[in-house]
Amino acid sequence: GAGVSQSPSNKVTEKGKDVELRCDPISGHTALYWYRQRLGQGLEFLIYFQGNSAPDKSGLPSDRFSAERTGESVSTLTIQRTQQEDSAVYLCASSLRRAGELFFGEGSRLTVL
Amino acid sequence: QQQVKQSPQSLIVQKGGISIINCAYENTAFDYFPWYQQFPGKGPALLIAIRPDVSEKKEGRFTISFNKSAKQFSLHIMDSQPGDSATYFCAALQTGANNLFFGTGTRLTVIP
């Protein structure tokens, strides 16, 4: 595709359920980022993937959060046992190289009831 | 700890006016300062960026002013238009690091 694609665009779930968010980066982009954007807040770094290197997980807020990416393809962000404070827009971005211009998807809006 | 502090939180400007958004940082190792623009329902998109070897960068109606000694940088939007209404994020990066640190955003409204 032409841009970063994220799905689902909206997800409503009950507290305690697991959710999986998907990101399809721009073809050829080796770097992939996940950010969280809470209402009225800035972008909070979660995790970074660069090619086949070990991911930088330093931003993950708890062990309920995990992410995977195979090579330079699709990434999934998984939140287990969701809590109400997990409600946010989860943004994925890809880049041609580390710390280059980030191209963001439109985000997945998660609402935990 | 907020690595990049941004103000104001919201800004209302008349069409044709100048919009000014300010950011400050503490980490002197930061050496790349981009601004991202986000429209409702969309992801942020790179607007303009500067490195600390220059004090100003201009692209059309958008200008970044950079004060290295004060550790501050600002975005100026000249002749603001209703189509500029969006949320603007400043950011900072240290070369070699993975993480781009974002400010908390400024919601700009340009009224006709």
Side-chain angles (χ1 to χ4, degrees):
Chain A
V4 176
S5 178
Q6 292 188 245
S7 62
S9 56
N10 271 290
K11 176 71 176 179
V12 180
T13 190
E14 293 180 347
K15 177 181 174 181
K17 300 286 190 181
D18 297 351
V19 297
E20 190 173 278
L21 308 176
R22 175 188 168 105
C23 173
D24 197 345
I26 294 173
S27 178
H29 281 195
T30 60
L32 186 146
Y33 300 78
W34 283 97
Y35 282 86
R36 179 169 69 178
Q37 185 175 25
R38 289 188 167 128
L39 186 64
Q41 302 287 315
L43 280 68
E44 177 187 2
F45 168 76
L46 296 178
I47 189 168
Y48 162 77
F49 295 91
Q50 174 65 46
N52 291 315
S53 301
D56 178 350
K57 303 180 181 180
S58 60
L60 294 179
S62 77
D63 59 7
R64 296 188 294 106
F65 288 72
S66 62
E68 292 183 351
R69 186 187 189 197
T70 304
E72 297 178 4
S73 62
V74 170
S75 175
T76 56
L77 176 68
T78 302
I79 309 173
Q80 295 179 310
R81 304 182 302 281
T82 51
Q83 304 294 312
Q84 288 184 333
E85 63 262 27
D86 299 334
S87 295
V89 175
Y90 290 83
L91 289 162
C92 174
S94 69
S95 177
L96 270 174
R97 55 180 174 80
R98 182 175 65 183
E101 177 181 354
L102 300 185
F103 293 83
F104 284 88
E106 295 190 346
S108 293
R109 181 179 297 276
L110 174 65
T111 303
V112 182
L113 301 178
Chain B
Q1 180 187 2
Q2 192 69 33
Q3 295 274 353
V4 180
K5 296 181 180 179
Q6 183 172 349
S7 64
Q9 189 173 17
S10 63
L11 181 62
I12 300 174
V13 173
Q14 292 271 1
K15 178 182 175 182
I18 302 173
S19 303
I20 302 175
I21 304 170
N22 300 299
C23 286
Y25 63 96
E26 287 299 324
N27 185 351
T28 55
F30 287 148
D31 57 4
Y32 175 67
F33 302 90
W35 285 87
Y36 279 77
Q37 179 188 54
Q38 184 180 30
F39 292 105
K42 303 293 185 182
L46 180 65
L47 183 64
I48 187 173
I50 196 169
R51 293 197 180 272
D53 52 344
V54 296
S55 60
E56 185 175 283
K57 183 173 182 179
K58 183 176 181 179
E59 290 185 2
R61 296 184 294 108
F62 300 89
T63 300
I64 300 177
S65 297
F66 187 81
N67 186 331
K68 189 173 182 178
S69 61
K71 293 183 287 186
Q72 296 175 348
F73 58 110
S74 60
L75 176 69
H76 295 235
I77 306 175
M78 311 301 287
D79 186 26
S80 299
Q81 299 296 312
D84 298 331
S85 297
T87 299
Y88 293 81
F89 293 94
C90 60
L93 176 76
Q94 174 183 348
T95 297
N98 300 327
N99 183 16
L100 193 62
F101 290 97
F102 284 86
T104 51
T106 296
R107 177 175 288 187
L108 171 65
T109 303
V110 181
I111 53 178

